[in-house]
Amino acid sequence: GQSLEQPSEVTAVEGAIVQINCTYQTSGFYGLSWYQQHDGGAPTFLSYNGLDGLEETGRFSSFLSRSDSYGYLLLQELQMKDSASYFCAVRDTGRRALTFGSGTRLQVQP
Amino acid sequence: ETGVTQTPRHLVMGMTNKKSLKCEQHLGHNAMYWYKQSAKKPLELMFVYSLEERVENNSVPSRFSPECPNSSHLFLHLHTLQPEDSALYLCASSQGTAPNTGELFFGEGSRLTVL
């Protein structure tokens, strides 16, 4: 089966940098996605890593190491609006849908 | 309308009621999904439809019955639910199942409370 581990909560201050880690175990692996979900809102796609390395999209970057079964989401220049839950999700060879982690609740403080 | 729309946004039902959740996508996608989101737990995949055919049923109890009449609409019929079924039910769509971009488009969910 599949399993993903990520921290349950992270707290940081405005303007800081925060890294949210995700480790995964799957029977086969295509890639790792990241989603953001504000309270009461829909999960929205942030990034996808199919290959090792860093993908950058504005203030957000995502990294993947396939050999370590590990990835992270890096948020820079934190803003209050970044307070939300962040989910990693794997696309693996055995399923027709993404498998999600439990989510990391990020609280950005002034 | 754009994106993925779910109705109703909130639903309260008794254990003996029958109700349905509706999802509509306006993105031209050919795959649709139901996920269940409970507090402190991962999003749980329930059903996957590709080209209106159910391609995955993730050991979901029979009191949940999906229906996909066309590629734009997805329903989740509910009957004789249990209080532990109270959760946020999320619909999503994509072009192809488990798409190469890793991107699903989610609706805002239907918050279900079973009394």
Side-chain angles (χ1 to χ4, degrees), chain A residues 9 30 33-35 37 40-45 47-48 87 91-92 94-103, chain B residues 9 33 35 37 40-43 45 48 50 55-56 58 88 90 97-104 106-108:
Chain A
E9 292 185 17
Y30 281 131
S33 299
W34 288 93
Y35 285 78
Q37 185 180 27
T44 56
F45 174 80
S47 68
Y48 175 75
F87 297 87
R91 173 174 172 256
D92 68 40
R95 306 196 71 186
R96 304 288 293 272
L98 301 186
T99 301
F100 285 79
S102 299
Chain B
R9 292 293 312 280
Y33 313 78
Y35 280 89
Q37 186 175 32
K40 308 288 187 185
K41 294 178 70 175
L43 275 73
L45 178 68
V48 183
S50 175
V55 296
E56 188 160 337
N58 202 32
L88 181 69
L90 289 162
T97 57
N100 293 336
T101 61
E103 183 173 9
L104 303 182
F106 283 89
E108 293 191 328

Side-chain angles (χ1 to χ4, degrees), chain A residues 2-10 20-25 32-37 39 43 84-90 98-106, chain B residues 35-45 90:
Chain A
Q2 308 86 10
S3 70
L4 295 94
E5 296 286 336
Q6 52 180 130
S8 58
E9 292 185 17
V10 173
I20 299 173
N21 299 321
C22 175
T23 58
Y24 58 86
Q25 286 187 311
L32 186 70
S33 299
W34 288 93
Y35 285 78
Q36 177 191 63
Q37 185 180 27
D39 287 347
S85 292
Y86 293 85
F87 297 87
C88 58
V90 294
L98 301 186
T99 301
F100 285 79
S102 299
T104 299
R105 188 168 185 86
L106 170 64
Chain B
Y35 280 89
K36 175 184 178 182
Q37 186 175 32
S38 305
K40 308 288 187 185
K41 294 178 70 175
L43 275 73
E44 301 173 51
L45 178 68
L90 289 162

